[in-house]
Amino acid sequence: SPQTSLKASGVALFGSWIFQCRLLGKRIRIECTEEFKRKAGILQIDALTGPDISASSDKPLPYCVPIQSIADDDDMFRTVSQICELVLKNIEDTKSLLPAVEWCANEVIDNVLRHAESQSPGCVCATFDAKSKRLDIAICDSGRGILESIRESHNPFNNAEAINLAITKGVTRDLKVGQGFGLAGSLEIVEKNKGSFQLTSGDIRLERNGEFERHSQLPNVAGTLVLLSFDTNNPLTLDE
């Protein structure tokens, strides 16, 4: 839409790649409009030598949460708070949707910190489309991926099997660091909301949208990308 002109999943993936480039000491130049840089959260990092990406926007944006780096619990708290502010600014019936959105965001971002084992920060972007009333939250990392993580406790043959295990309640790499409800619970909440869910790791993307489910083969990419898309016309509560 004209309000955002951003795709949350693309921006989060891009941000994760930027963080990886920074870790490897690479310098890149980003050529695009200043408006897009501000919206995406890359205004001050043309050469990757400026301030933190998260500080690149000096004013809150009404329809998006630009690139946010996720390296610790403080980053998670700050980012989830910004997502909640985005909901409060744009959705009337927040009481019946905000707790569910907050829970999902916390759980999936926490997975980045507890399971990804990435040397570079994770990345989050969120957008709200005023026309369709869709809230998209994308969480991406450049870590080891779901297959290697799940193999600590299970024996999936490939990325597709690992992804299916990851969205099964109670499945986790280690019960000491998680109960296995994050991705499974987020998927359940999004489906009850009549939204859509995407999970990409390695060379497989899982898409779930109501009764529609598809596994797509992709070029192999390090890490994991989760896209939660909420239909804010269909509020729900966690009790449901």
Side-chain angles (χ1 to χ4, degrees):
S1 76
Q3 290 90 353
T4 62
S5 69
L6 300 176
K7 292 292 185 183
S9 57
V11 173
L13 182 62
F14 179 57
S16 181
W17 174 75
I18 289 176
F19 294 141
Q20 184 72 7
C21 287
R22 174 181 285 175
L23 176 70
L24 297 173
K26 295 182 178 180
R27 295 167 64 90
I28 62 172
R29 182 170 182 81
I30 302 166
E31 295 186 358
C32 57
T33 66
E34 294 299 303
E35 180 184 7
F36 179 82
K37 288 180 183 180
R38 178 171 180 264
K39 287 180 177 179
I42 56 177
L43 185 60
Q44 300 178 25
I45 58 165
D46 274 352
L48 294 183
T49 58
D52 190 306
I53 290 175
S54 301
S56 63
S57 179
D58 56 350
K59 296 180 181 179
L61 299 172
Y63 295 104
C64 71
V65 175
I67 289 174
Q68 301 294 310
S69 62
I70 305 296
D72 54 35
D73 289 336
D74 289 340
D75 290 340
M76 180 170 69
F77 177 79
R78 182 198 69 245
T79 300
V80 173
S81 295
Q82 290 190 37
I83 292 171
C84 290
E85 285 296 320
L86 182 66
V87 172
L88 290 169
K89 287 177 184 176
N90 293 287
I91 301 170
E92 293 182 4
D93 190 8
T94 57
K95 289 183 179 180
S96 56
L97 185 64
L98 184 59
V101 170
E102 183 178 15
W103 187 89
C104 291
N106 269 309
E107 289 292 321
V108 179
I109 295 173
D110 185 68
N111 279 350
V112 173
L113 298 175
R114 311 303 169 207
H115 303 296
E117 294 192 356
S118 176
Q119 293 183 322
S120 58
C123 185
V124 176
C125 177
T127 61
F128 177 77
D129 188 290
K131 184 176 181 180
S132 65
K133 303 297 183 183
R134 300 287 290 202
L135 171 69
D136 288 353
I137 305 171
I139 301 102
C140 187
D141 68 74
S142 298
R144 56 181 173 164
I146 290 175
L147 179 60
E148 292 305 315
S149 178
I150 289 289
R151 276 181 172 169
E152 289 192 18
S153 57
H154 296 76
N155 297 298
F157 177 71
N158 53 30
N159 285 304
E161 288 186 9
I163 284 175
N164 286 334
L165 282 169
I167 59 172
T168 302
K169 281 187 177 180
V171 173
T172 182
R173 72 174 180 90
D174 187 348
L175 288 174
K176 294 179 181 179
V177 295
Q179 300 300 313
F181 295 130
L183 288 175
S186 297
L187 171 59
E188 183 177 343
I189 287 171
V190 169
E191 288 190 322
K192 287 182 178 179
N193 169 252
K194 303 188 187 310
S196 62
F197 176 94
Q198 287 186 17
L199 175 57
T200 305
S201 190
D203 60 351
I204 295 294
R205 172 178 294 158
L206 167 68
E207 298 175 77
R208 291 274 289 268
N209 187 351
E211 296 181 357
F212 171 81
E213 177 175 322
R214 178 172 64 189
H215 287 78
S216 303
Q217 188 87 31
L218 305 171
N220 193 71
V221 177
T224 301
L225 170 66
V226 179
L227 175 62
L228 309 172
S229 183
F230 294 89
D231 183 350
T232 64
N233 291 310
N234 294 307
L236 79 163
T237 64
L238 287 177
D239 294 337
E240 297 177 5

